[in-house]
Amino acid sequence: MNTFFILLLVIVILLVIYVAAGFRVVPQNNEGLVETLGKYTRTVKAGFVFIWPFFQRIRRVSLALQPLEISKYSIITKDNAEITTSLTLNYLVTNSYKYFYNNTDSVESMVQLIRGHLRDIIGRIDLNEALGSTSRINSQLSKAIGDLTDIYGIRVVRVNVDELLPSPEIQRAMDKQLTADREKVATIKKAEGAAKNIELTTKAKNDALVATARAKAEAVKTQANADAYRIDQLQASLAKASDGYFRNQSLDSFNHLAEGPDNLVVVGKDEMSNLGAVPAIKKVWDKSDDKK
């Protein structure tokens, strides 16, 4: 009898231990996949859960947002240039059953899908366009992925192309091209500066020549005006002189001629009276010089 009670007590204790071992806790923001003898039975939410030990097991799946970095890999652009890219993304599990049972590695399948779409996007554009259009590539990649990852029970919340780097050979060629472009711009600027300097120098010389010519023209004009004024004064003075004055001047002229070594002078009758105008003209001309 005592043996029976002892055996019964042992069985009760084992049952209590067995039942107690079946209680599980699913943490917050997780789901539990319950399997009975290896077959999916049900999905349980976060909290206190009971399963039958040895016959059932529970697999926990996190529903929290997960960050992921996709390591660098090479892509060929439309113009056959090789570039290296790396990605970062955030994803979360939307269907724990699909995530765990429909694929042996849902995360790796998602990564391969994203890589394939990125290769397709960059493969349709040139190198320069790819290097300068990171934000547009991000937008196109997000649209291309869309709900395709739903078959893995995953939703990509954000995907970002962190960097696009050309191969070392292309980078060296780009550096040389950039240096050549800078030297070209510097040469053009230097030539433009020299041309501008020549233009300004030539303009200054031309302006000086024009100013000199104008000054000379003004001087000639002033001299011509002065000569014209003297001639006008001479004509006015001669017009005011009387005939007797010219006769006296003619006699003086003959006297001066007679005093010279060559005292033989032959003139016409009409020219004799005009000789008196010569000294008169000289006097008027000398007076006008004195006034200047």
Side-chain angles (χ1 to χ4, degrees), residues 121 134-144 159:
I121 293 172
T134 305
S135 59
R136 185 161 61 88
I137 292 174
N138 288 335
S139 177
Q140 292 180 359
L141 184 58
S142 298
K143 291 180 181 179
V159 61

Side-chain angles (χ1 to χ4, degrees), residues 185-202:
V185 171
T187 302
I188 292 174
K189 291 293 185 182
K190 183 177 180 180
E192 290 177 348
K196 188 66 176 179
N197 184 45
I198 293 173
E199 179 184 353
L200 294 175
T201 303
T202 303

Side-chain angles (χ1 to χ4, degrees), residues 28-243:
Q28 178 68 30
N29 216 13
N30 283 259
E31 284 185 344
L33 301 175
V34 179
E35 297 177 349
T36 303
L37 298 177
K39 183 179 179 181
Y40 169 77
T41 304
R42 71 185 189 277
T43 300
V44 295
K45 303 297 182 181
F48 200 59
V49 180
F50 175 78
I51 62 172
W52 293 108
F54 305 112
F55 298 99
Q56 291 182 327
R57 64 180 298 183
I58 185 168
R59 299 181 183 275
R60 290 186 299 181
V61 178
S62 175
L63 304 180
L65 192 67
Q66 301 286 339
L68 180 64
E69 181 178 353
I70 301 177
S71 59
K72 296 180 180 180
Y73 64 101
S74 298
I75 300 178
I76 304 301
T77 62
K78 183 180 179 181
D79 51 352
N80 295 322
E82 181 182 357
I83 59 175
T84 302
T85 182
S86 62
L87 300 170
T88 55
L89 58 88
N90 295 95
Y91 72 93
L92 53 81
V93 176
T94 57
N95 189 311
S96 56
Y97 178 86
K98 291 181 179 180
Y99 173 77
F100 195 84
Y101 294 110
N102 284 5
N103 201 299
T104 57
D105 193 338
S106 295
V107 174
E108 181 62 25
S109 297
M110 174 189 65
V111 170
Q112 292 178 3
L113 177 67
I114 292 174
R115 283 179 173 178
H117 279 290
L118 184 58
R119 283 194 180 97
D120 179 64
I121 293 172
I122 294 180
R124 288 186 277 109
I125 58 179
D126 296 332
L127 174 63
N128 291 335
E129 185 179 357
L131 296 178
S133 307
T134 305
S135 59
R136 185 161 61 88
I137 292 174
N138 288 335
S139 177
Q140 292 180 359
L141 184 58
S142 298
K143 291 180 181 179
I145 297 171
D147 298 327
L148 293 178
T149 55
D150 184 60
I151 61 175
Y152 310 125
I154 297 174
R155 180 167 66 89
V156 177
V157 177
R158 184 189 64 87
V159 61
N160 184 67
V161 178
D162 291 332
E163 60 180 11
L164 291 172
L165 297 176
S167 63
E169 294 78 9
I170 295 176
Q171 185 64 52
R172 285 192 292 268
M174 292 175 66
D175 291 340
K176 290 181 180 179
Q177 180 65 39
L178 182 61
T179 302
D181 291 341
R182 289 176 177 174
E183 291 177 352
K184 177 181 177 182
V185 171
T187 302
I188 292 174
K189 291 293 185 182
K190 183 177 180 180
E192 290 177 348
K196 188 66 176 179
N197 184 45
I198 293 173
E199 179 184 353
L200 294 175
T201 303
T202 303
K203 185 177 183 301
K205 290 180 179 179
N206 291 338
D207 291 343
L209 291 174
V210 171
T212 302
R214 287 178 178 173
K216 290 181 177 180
E218 191 67 26
V220 171
K221 180 180 178 181
T222 302
Q223 183 63 40
N225 291 335
D227 292 342
Y229 175 78
R230 294 165 67 183
I231 292 172
D232 290 341
Q233 291 295 319
L234 178 60
Q235 290 178 348
S237 299
L238 293 176
K240 293 179 181 179
S242 62
D243 293 338

